[in-house]
Amino acid sequence: MTWRLEVDTGACIGSGICASLSPELFALRGAHAEVLREGIEPDEQALEAADFCPASAITVTDGGQVIAPRP
Ligand code: SF4
């Protein structure tokens, strides 16, 4: 099972929270975050980064289904 990580750079406000929580998955590049790996093994940190993103700019999908941010 592979999850996919995406950052909507149009929504990202560059808070850096994702890169602080999961530096192996996200990095700040200028004013926006980028994903370092789009396809990942299931990883709770990815879900938490999506949940904590203040701009709801991070999406985690599993087989095309959105699994984070969680409601
Ligand atoms: S936590 Fe969200 S708003 Fe902050 S840098 Fe990451 S993607 Fe951008």
Side-chain angles (χ1 to χ4, degrees), residues 6-9 11-21 26-35 48-50 52-59:
E6 288 180 48
V7 170
D8 178 349
T9 54
C12 172
I13 58 172
S15 69
I17 292 172
C18 56
S20 295
L21 282 173
F26 303 93
L28 269 185
R29 295 278 184 261
H32 304 294
E34 67 176 21
V35 293
E48 289 182 0
F52 284 112
C53 173
S56 300
I58 299 171
T59 306

Side-chain angles (χ1 to χ4, degrees), residues 19-47:
S20 295
L21 282 173
S22 307
E24 67 283 1
L25 297 178
F26 303 93
L28 269 185
R29 295 278 184 261
H32 304 294
E34 67 176 21
V35 293
L36 299 177
R37 289 183 290 143
E38 291 184 357
I40 61 166
E41 292 299 306
D43 185 341
E44 178 65 24
Q45 284 195 329
L47 302 179

